[in-house]
Amino acid sequence: MRLINGKHSHFPIFNEQDIADLTEISKVQMIDFLAVPFVSHGDEINVIRKTLGVNGSQIKILAKIDSMPGVEKFDDILEEADGIIF
Amino acid sequence: MTTCRLNLSHGSLKENLKLISNYRQARRLRPHKNCAFLLELKGREIRISHSADKSKTIRVRTGSTVAMFGGEFKTASDPTNLRVNNESFQRYMKPNEVVYIDDGKAIGIVIQINENGVLLEIKQGGTIRENC
């Protein structure tokens, strides 16, 4: 079930498993880019960057804009992300 | 190939670590090649479990009532019970909210919320794919 049209932008972008995965990702070498779908606010990118920590500081974060909230907060997201995927 | 992309929508990171390991080995063996690795998170999405039907689809009918709930993702879904891979999604749902299943192949309205999930009234029936 895809949550589309931005109707579920209040739904948390990550669950506990996602956070655990991010911590694991930061330990895996050779990952250059991390694409994050359904981003609706720049703060979400900051959460990812903090979770990746120093170990994952070389990973570039690409925000995917695929909902109306993402379009509305585009400037804010662009400020925080290393790149954008529409 | 200039970029290797791995989408975590299909399996957990743990399940995909072997693929990442294969990529790393291939890259080490080809130091003259330039190839980036892009990992894509699944983000805000909920997946429905597999179908018991051979067609690997689930047909939900217009006007029917469907229970959508978490906690039994390894059990098959059927036209009246959609099991999903998230146990807390109902906390973020609201009555009368529109739910688009499989990118809108079926559309339901939330008519009841309980501790395990939600009840949907299907406004537009359709055939949805398993693991969508």
Side-chain angles (χ1 to χ4, degrees):
Chain A
M1 178 174 69
R2 283 273 182 186
L3 304 174
I4 59 176
N5 290 354
K7 289 185 182 295
H8 293 73
S9 58
H10 51 282
F11 198 88
I13 194 163
F14 298 122
N15 58 32
E16 288 171 10
Q17 185 58 51
D18 293 326
I19 297 288
D21 280 355
L22 279 175
T23 308
E24 196 63 32
I25 287 166
S26 68
K27 296 175 189 167
V28 179
Q29 292 177 347
M30 290 189 181
I31 292 178
D32 303 292
F33 299 101
L34 186 68
V36 186
F38 297 102
V39 175
S40 62
H41 202 281
D43 284 348
E44 292 167 350
I45 301 297
N46 285 331
V47 170
I48 294 167
R49 218 181 281 284
K50 280 179 187 164
T51 309
L52 288 173
V54 178
N55 287 339
S57 59
Q58 84 288 353
I59 300 173
K60 303 290 183 193
I61 301 173
L62 308 178
K64 287 184 76 177
I65 307 286
D66 35 21
S67 68
M68 278 312 292
V71 173
E72 287 160 9
K73 294 285 183 180
F74 177 76
D75 289 343
D76 181 48
I77 295 167
L78 184 61
E79 191 74 30
E80 304 299 338
D82 297 304
I84 298 284
I85 300 174
F86 260 102
Chain B
M1 185 165 80
T2 54
T3 304
C4 174
R5 171 178 168 267
L6 179 63
N7 189 347
L8 291 183
S9 289
H10 311 287
S12 65
L13 177 68
K14 197 175 176 183
E15 289 162 353
N16 282 303
L17 279 177
K18 176 68 181 165
L19 283 172
I20 297 174
S21 173
N22 288 347
Y23 161 80
R24 291 169 67 183
Q25 191 178 353
R27 191 160 149 182
R28 277 196 201 99
L29 291 171
R30 297 166 182 82
H32 55 289
K33 292 278 187 185
N34 248 337
C35 180
F37 191 87
L38 191 159
L39 191 66
E40 182 165 344
L41 299 176
K42 65 179 179 179
R44 286 186 176 95
E45 67 173 22
I46 300 173
R47 286 193 180 268
I48 291 168
S49 72
H50 65 283
S51 167
D53 195 86
K54 283 181 185 172
S55 66
K56 297 186 176 183
T57 61
I58 303 156
R59 183 169 174 76
V60 293
R61 297 189 180 280
T62 303
S64 65
T65 302
V66 174
M68 179 178 278
F69 51 94
E72 297 179 8
F73 191 63
K74 290 186 176 170
T75 305
S77 289
D78 58 57
T80 53
N81 294 287
L82 298 179
R83 294 172 170 87
V84 299
N85 64 345
N86 188 307
E87 295 178 25
S88 59
F89 75 99
Q90 67 277 11
R91 282 193 262 155
Y92 308 97
M93 307 293 277
K94 294 172 185 169
N96 297 318
E97 196 160 33
V98 180
V99 175
Y100 297 86
I101 306 169
D102 195 4
D103 288 342
K105 292 187 179 66
I107 301 172
I109 302 276
V110 177
I111 56 173
Q112 196 181 101
I113 300 171
N114 57 47
E115 60 181 21
N116 299 318
V118 299
L119 270 185
L120 300 175
E121 183 182 330
I122 302 300
K123 292 294 181 186
Q124 181 186 306
T127 302
I128 55 180
R129 297 164 298 167
E130 65 178 7
N131 289 314
C132 65

